[in-house]
Amino acid sequence: MSQSTLERPVSAETAPAARPRRRITGNGLLFVYTWLVIIWLIVPIVVMILFSFNDTKGRYNQTWEGWTFKWYGKIFEIEDLTKALWTSLAIAVISSIVSAALGTGIGYALGRYRFRGSGTLNIVMFSTISSPELIMGASLLSLFVSANLGLGYATITIAHIMFSISFVAAIVRARVVTLDRSIEEAAADLGATPWTAFWKVTFPIILPAVFSGLLLAFALSIDDFVVTNFTAGSVVTFPLWIWGSTRVGLPPQVNVMGTLIFAAGVLIAVVTNIRSRQGKRD
């Protein structure tokens, strides 16, 4: 082999390609951050579901001792806990329905019309959303005491309606703002009265927002502790019972009830999502 061949430089075509360095882009960081937040939110739920199958030998569910399904058959074994759960469910159903009805009217008015006092109403509505529950609970307690209202089921329901209306109104308002008014105008041109146009045209369009607000009001009601603690009196709801039992330990039935409530919420969300997609395709 000649010296000229040995000294010939390697061309760019024959040189091995350098491996590109992997760089973490903004999208990659956002992807990792999103999954870390999701995992952080899911871990407590997974622990709750896991301990609903815990084969604990005592009354309280504190350490993992094995798998069992027996607690699902004994879910209503503790009478006080069962009563507290049904109390919370009844209050949540009533307050969510009333909040959805009142909040839909407020949200529709704020999204469609400009009237004197609408700005003040917006401020009051979002102040209710952003105010601490401690302040709201104390103020509602003062209101009920000054009005000589005995604390109990009625005061809890009124309190839950008061803080849920704003959430429903905000969701409905956001949907009404994006509503195409030409659809209602077409209904009016065809002879529909304003009331008929609302129920036949407008309401079916904003119904998903109304249903979302109703579900949010239900979740806020059944989960509320601070405001309920101020306005409950001698009535014990599901969160209040759990808080009282944490001093000695939670029974497995609490995890079972929490798991079933969570599963029902996920099922409703999945069915609603499927139906909304089918509606868009149609």
Side-chain angles (χ1 to χ4, degrees), residues 83 151-153 156 231-237 240:
K83 182 179 178 181
L151 301 181
Y153 293 96
I156 297 174
T231 59
S234 60
V235 176
V236 179
T237 61
L240 294 181

Side-chain angles (χ1 to χ4, degrees), residues 166-219:
S166 298
F167 290 93
V168 178
I171 296 174
V172 174
R173 179 183 179 274
R175 182 65 185 95
V176 172
V177 168
T178 61
L179 188 64
D180 187 4
R181 299 195 63 176
S182 62
I183 302 177
E184 294 177 318
E185 294 173 356
D189 293 338
L190 293 174
T193 62
W195 187 252
T196 303
F198 175 80
W199 284 111
K200 297 292 184 180
V201 178
T202 306
F203 188 73
I205 297 176
I206 67 173
L207 183 58
V210 176
F211 188 66
S212 298
L214 187 146
L215 290 180
L216 179 59
F218 182 87

Side-chain angles (χ1 to χ4, degrees), residues 50-133:
L50 183 65
F51 272 81
S52 69
F53 299 100
N54 185 23
D55 189 16
T56 179
K57 302 302 185 292
R59 176 181 171 85
Y60 304 112
N61 199 11
Q62 296 178 342
T63 58
W64 180 257
E65 299 181 29
W67 291 92
T68 184
F69 290 90
K70 66 180 180 181
W71 302 119
Y72 283 83
K74 300 179 180 179
I75 183 173
F76 300 123
E77 191 176 55
I78 304 176
E79 184 178 354
D80 292 341
L81 175 59
T82 303
K83 182 179 178 181
L85 176 64
W86 290 120
T87 299
S88 290
L89 288 174
I91 293 174
V93 169
I94 296 172
S95 62
S96 60
I97 292 175
V98 176
S99 299
L102 298 178
T104 298
I106 296 173
Y108 182 80
L110 290 175
R112 175 52 53 86
Y113 304 108
R114 294 293 178 268
F115 53 90
R116 181 176 298 179
S118 60
T120 304
L121 183 57
N122 264 316
I123 294 175
V124 172
M125 186 177 68
F126 286 103
S127 297
T128 304
I129 295 176
S130 60
S131 63
E133 285 190 296

Side-chain angles (χ1 to χ4, degrees), residues 208 211-212 214-216 218-219 260-278:
F211 188 66
S212 298
L214 187 146
L215 290 180
L216 179 59
F218 182 87
L260 294 178
I261 293 173
F262 173 75
V266 171
L267 180 61
I268 293 174
V270 170
V271 172
T272 304
N273 189 23
I274 293 174
R275 293 193 63 180
S276 64
R277 289 185 178 182
Q278 290 177 349

